[in-house]
Short mmCIF file of all heavy atoms in Angstrom, two decimals:
data_model
loop_
_atom_site.label_atom_id
_atom_site.label_comp_id
_atom_site.label_asym_id
_atom_site.label_seq_id
_atom_site.Cartn_x
_atom_site.Cartn_y
_atom_site.Cartn_z
N MET C 122 -7.18 -5.24 -7.35
CA MET C 122 -5.96 -4.72 -7.97
C MET C 122 -5.01 -5.85 -8.33
O MET C 122 -4.44 -5.88 -9.43
CB MET C 122 -5.28 -3.72 -7.02
CG MET C 122 -6.01 -2.41 -6.84
SD MET C 122 -6.17 -1.43 -8.36
CE MET C 122 -4.45 -1.23 -8.83
N CYS C 123 -4.82 -6.79 -7.41
CA CYS C 123 -3.93 -7.93 -7.68
C CYS C 123 -4.43 -8.75 -8.86
O CYS C 123 -3.65 -9.16 -9.73
CB CYS C 123 -3.82 -8.82 -6.45
SG CYS C 123 -2.86 -8.12 -5.09
N LYS C 124 -5.73 -8.99 -8.88
CA LYS C 124 -6.30 -9.78 -9.97
C LYS C 124 -6.11 -9.09 -11.31
O LYS C 124 -5.72 -9.71 -12.30
CB LYS C 124 -7.80 -10.01 -9.71
CG LYS C 124 -8.47 -10.88 -10.77
CD LYS C 124 -9.93 -11.14 -10.42
CE LYS C 124 -10.59 -12.00 -11.48
NZ LYS C 124 -12.02 -12.27 -11.17
N ALA C 125 -6.35 -7.78 -11.34
CA ALA C 125 -6.26 -7.04 -12.60
C ALA C 125 -4.82 -6.92 -13.10
O ALA C 125 -4.57 -6.98 -14.31
CB ALA C 125 -6.88 -5.65 -12.44
N VAL C 126 -3.88 -6.74 -12.19
CA VAL C 126 -2.50 -6.52 -12.61
C VAL C 126 -1.76 -7.84 -12.89
O VAL C 126 -0.73 -7.85 -13.58
CB VAL C 126 -1.75 -5.70 -11.55
CG1 VAL C 126 -1.21 -6.57 -10.42
CG2 VAL C 126 -0.60 -4.91 -12.16
N SER C 127 -2.27 -8.94 -12.37
CA SER C 127 -1.56 -10.21 -12.54
C SER C 127 -1.48 -10.65 -13.99
O SER C 127 -0.48 -11.22 -14.43
CB SER C 127 -2.22 -11.31 -11.70
OG SER C 127 -3.54 -11.55 -12.12
N ARG C 128 -2.52 -10.36 -14.78
CA ARG C 128 -2.50 -10.79 -16.18
C ARG C 128 -1.39 -10.12 -16.98
O ARG C 128 -0.59 -10.82 -17.62
CB ARG C 128 -3.86 -10.55 -16.83
CG ARG C 128 -4.02 -11.21 -18.20
CD ARG C 128 -5.43 -11.05 -18.72
NE ARG C 128 -6.42 -11.65 -17.85
CZ ARG C 128 -6.74 -12.94 -17.87
NH1 ARG C 128 -6.11 -13.75 -18.71
NH2 ARG C 128 -7.65 -13.42 -17.06
N PRO C 129 -1.27 -8.77 -16.96
CA PRO C 129 -0.15 -8.17 -17.69
C PRO C 129 1.21 -8.57 -17.13
O PRO C 129 2.18 -8.72 -17.89
CB PRO C 129 -0.39 -6.66 -17.57
CG PRO C 129 -1.36 -6.49 -16.45
CD PRO C 129 -2.19 -7.73 -16.44
N MET C 130 1.31 -8.75 -15.83
CA MET C 130 2.58 -9.18 -15.25
C MET C 130 2.93 -10.60 -15.69
O MET C 130 4.11 -10.91 -15.93
CB MET C 130 2.54 -9.09 -13.73
CG MET C 130 2.62 -7.67 -13.19
SD MET C 130 2.73 -7.62 -11.37
CE MET C 130 2.97 -5.87 -11.09
N MET C 131 1.94 -11.46 -15.80
CA MET C 131 2.19 -12.83 -16.26
C MET C 131 2.67 -12.84 -17.71
O MET C 131 3.55 -13.62 -18.08
CB MET C 131 0.93 -13.68 -16.09
CG MET C 131 0.60 -14.02 -14.64
SD MET C 131 -0.97 -14.88 -14.44
CE MET C 131 -0.55 -16.49 -15.11
N ARG C 132 2.12 -11.95 -18.52
CA ARG C 132 2.57 -11.85 -19.91
C ARG C 132 4.02 -11.37 -19.97
O ARG C 132 4.80 -11.82 -20.81
CB ARG C 132 1.68 -10.89 -20.70
CG ARG C 132 0.31 -11.47 -21.06
CD ARG C 132 -0.35 -10.67 -22.17
NE ARG C 132 -0.62 -9.30 -21.76
CZ ARG C 132 -1.78 -8.88 -21.25
NH1 ARG C 132 -2.77 -9.75 -21.09
NH2 ARG C 132 -1.96 -7.62 -20.91
N GLN C 133 4.38 -10.46 -19.06
CA GLN C 133 5.75 -9.96 -19.00
C GLN C 133 6.71 -10.99 -18.41
O GLN C 133 7.92 -10.89 -18.58
CB GLN C 133 5.82 -8.71 -18.08
CG GLN C 133 5.05 -7.52 -18.56
CD GLN C 133 4.83 -6.48 -17.46
OE1 GLN C 133 4.06 -5.57 -17.64
NE2 GLN C 133 5.47 -6.62 -16.31
N ARG C 134 6.13 -11.93 -17.67
CA ARG C 134 6.90 -12.90 -16.88
C ARG C 134 7.79 -12.19 -15.85
O ARG C 134 8.89 -12.64 -15.54
CB ARG C 134 7.72 -13.83 -17.78
CG ARG C 134 6.89 -14.64 -18.75
CD ARG C 134 7.68 -15.74 -19.40
NE ARG C 134 7.98 -16.81 -18.44
CZ ARG C 134 7.17 -17.83 -18.16
NH1 ARG C 134 5.97 -17.89 -18.75
NH2 ARG C 134 7.52 -18.75 -17.29
#
Side-chain angles (χ1 to χ4, degrees):
M122 290 297 302
C123 288
K124 183 177 180 180
V126 84
S127 62
R128 192 174 299 277
M130 286 185 175
M131 288 174 72
R132 285 197 297 266
Q133 295 164 191
R134 300 192 71 85

